[in-house]
Amino acid sequence: MPYRKATNCIHGRHFEAKEGTNTPIYPSSVFRYREVDQNIYPRYYNTPNQEVIIEKLCKLEGGHRGILFSSGMAAISTCLFSLLEPGTHMVLSGSVYGGTFYLVEKEMAKRGISYTFLPDTEVSSFEAAIQDNTRVIYLETPSNPLLQLTDIARVADLAKQRGCITVIDNTFASPINQNPLDLGIDVVLHSGTKYLGGHSDLCFGVVITSEELYEQMYPQAINYGGSLNALDCYLIERSLKTLEVRVRQQNANAQQIAEFLETRREVRAVHYPGLGSHPQHELAKAQMQGFGGMVAFELAVDNLAETGQFLDHLELIQPALSLGGVETIICSPSETSHIKMPKAQREAIGIREGLLRLSVGIEAVEDILYDLNQAFEKSHQVFRQSQAV
């Protein structure tokens, strides 16, 4: 019978082993080549430790084939450079991860590839941007950091009508909360460094797709060499076993925190798909099974110095890079994820200097709320000064 996600996180391929339920670690770069169906080599992405992870993720995402990479950006770059050729064009959501933006801005023109960043996430904007040579439509939903949503099924239908391949960064949602392949998307990407790893100690990425598109990407992946070692693979598989329970708790905590932030006069805006006030809340309910562990909120301040004073008062929540771990961390996108995007362009898409991105962990939610509350109370002078201007 087909198992549910929580079960598929834990159970995968059964290897022949006399003891233990965990996959044996094969810390070898050398494998015998005779009497085997294919040559096995880490850079070929086909060692036992690599394959067992892909099998689990294919079950979780509803895909057929996949490739495990040493970083999320290795997954994104290999995917895009495999699907795009000189003279082709791609359309991207306007609000994407800063690393994706930087890759496109710095590398596509060198390869003779043109692109269009959209001003919003409306399906009509995607339709208007498609050209005769458009090959790829790239989505990120919920987006980083403003948690804007795109109607996945409608964009997938549009792409099929126009002969385009759809690629989605599903990092913020995780396969527990959202399965874009079931909605018609062609390729799903993850920065596994975030929720899939979940313990802030791994760096990896993954592509999950169809057999056909896998065959198109696989040779490029071998040539670019972004593979992962067996010991990291062991840690990834260990982390996946708790993915479902971690994400469910992060969803629940984030919902309470977002509702709390909406009550604070020190906060100008709260961005969270689970809130009734989110402009795309109904869409979130339609295409997501959970609203995620990411909350963005904008402080009622006007510069990074004032934002930094609020961050200085936090005690439990740590200002730190990345996201998706079991601990709650916070960052200013203007100084971290989107630092390579010009300030004017950041602000045009809503990333102002008072914006903070909160990655909610699995601590007792009462403790997270207490820390936010005490930081607001200690920062009253900063907020009063800002509001008086």
Side-chain angles (χ1 to χ4, degrees):
M1 62 171 282
Y3 294 119
R4 292 169 175 79
K5 289 181 182 180
T7 304
N8 285 327
C9 286
I10 297 167
H11 296 281
R13 181 193 303 184
H14 291 286
F15 290 87
E16 294 182 5
K18 295 186 181 298
E19 302 285 346
T21 58
N22 292 328
T23 305
I25 304 172
Y26 295 84
S28 181
S29 59
V30 177
F31 291 83
R32 293 185 178 89
Y33 70 91
R34 301 185 68 191
E35 299 178 355
V36 295
D37 295 333
Q38 60 178 337
N39 290 338
I40 300 173
Y41 188 57
R43 188 168 58 83
Y44 296 166
Y45 306 90
N46 63 356
T47 65
N49 294 110
Q50 293 168 328
E51 289 192 335
V52 72
I53 295 166
I54 291 300
E55 287 180 10
K56 284 190 176 184
L57 290 173
C58 281
K59 288 179 180 177
L60 291 172
E61 283 287 15
H64 295 285
R65 298 296 298 273
I67 307 173
L68 184 69
F69 293 92
S70 55
S71 72
M73 286 309 303
I76 293 169
S77 59
T78 301
C79 172
L80 293 180
F81 295 148
S82 300
L83 301 177
L84 294 161
E85 299 174 350
T88 57
H89 171 259
M90 69 180 301
V91 176
L92 302 97
S93 301
S95 182
V96 296
Y97 167 55
T100 305
F101 172 84
Y102 192 68
L103 170 74
V104 171
E105 287 279 287
K106 293 296 180 181
E107 299 297 331
M108 292 302 171
K110 296 178 186 177
R111 291 165 167 78
I113 300 165
S114 59
Y115 55 89
T116 300
F117 280 107
L118 301 181
D120 53 49
T121 62
E122 296 298 320
V123 177
S124 58
S125 296
F126 283 92
E127 185 171 17
I130 295 174
Q131 304 173 9
D132 291 340
N133 62 337
T134 301
R135 170 73 170 162
V136 169
I137 295 178
Y138 187 96
L139 319 176
E140 187 175 309
T141 179
S143 68
N144 182 359
L146 290 169
L147 301 164
Q148 297 168 330
L149 305 186
T150 303
D151 191 322
I152 298 172
R154 289 182 62 199
V155 172
D157 287 343
L158 170 66
K160 286 178 171 56
Q161 293 170 20
R162 302 294 293 272
C164 302
I165 296 170
T166 45
V167 179
I168 191 168
D169 184 336
N170 202 33
T171 299
F172 266 32
S174 88
I176 303 303
N177 288 329
Q178 184 170 270
N179 297 118
L181 296 178
D182 292 342
L183 298 172
I185 293 294
D186 297 306
V187 183
V188 168
L189 302 168
H190 286 276
S191 173
T193 310
K194 281 71 174 181
Y195 287 102
L196 301 185
H199 294 78
S200 305
D201 57 1
L202 291 165
C203 184
F204 68 101
V206 66
V207 170
I208 303 294
T209 187
S210 64
E211 182 74 40
E212 179 184 358
L213 290 177
Y214 166 84
E215 293 295 342
Q216 190 169 336
M217 286 183 255
Y218 182 59
Q220 295 271 46
I222 291 175
N223 288 336
Y224 292 158
S227 58
L228 208 59
N229 67 77
L231 295 175
D232 278 351
C233 289
Y234 163 76
L235 293 173
I236 294 168
E237 189 183 3
R238 175 217 61 183
S239 296
L240 287 177
K241 292 183 178 182
T242 61
L243 176 63
E244 203 265 356
V245 293
R246 286 188 283 106
V247 169
R248 294 297 181 205
Q249 186 61 53
Q250 286 165 316
N251 290 347
N253 284 358
Q255 183 72 38
Q256 290 191 57
I257 290 166
E259 291 171 1
F260 162 77
L261 290 169
E262 277 201 313
T263 69
R264 299 298 307 201
R265 64 182 183 278
E266 302 93 343
V267 176
R268 284 185 180 142
V270 182
H271 307 274
Y272 185 67
L275 293 174
S277 60
H278 192 287
Q280 297 163 307
H281 179 61
E282 293 303 315
L283 176 60
K285 289 195 295 184
Q287 68 186 24
M288 302 180 75
Q289 294 87 55
F291 301 121
M294 300 301 301
V295 180
F297 62 99
E298 186 175 356
L299 297 175
V301 298
D302 298 310
N303 57 65
L304 288 173
E306 292 173 335
T307 301
Q309 290 181 55
F310 170 78
L311 295 175
D312 288 341
H313 290 306
L314 292 168
E315 297 173 358
L316 175 67
I317 301 167
Q318 296 300 306
L321 296 171
S322 201
L323 58 99
V326 293
E327 63 284 303
T328 300
I329 61 174
I330 195 168
C331 75
S332 162
S334 295
E335 297 179 287
T336 57
S337 63
H338 288 70
I339 193 170
K340 292 179 180 178
M341 184 179 285
K343 181 179 179 181
Q345 198 161 352
R346 284 199 307 265
E347 293 185 344
I349 61 173
I351 303 174
R352 290 176 280 273
E353 295 191 343
L355 184 72
L356 291 170
R357 189 187 72 186
L358 185 69
S359 174
V360 179
I362 64 172
E363 304 97 335
V365 69
E366 296 85 356
D367 294 333
I368 305 172
L369 292 170
Y370 175 84
D371 195 34
L372 288 167
N373 185 69
Q374 65 84 25
F376 282 128
E377 296 300 322
K378 291 178 180 177
S379 303
H380 268 171
Q381 185 63 31
V382 173
F383 294 116
R384 279 198 295 270
Q385 290 173 348
S386 183
Q387 291 165 359
V389 174

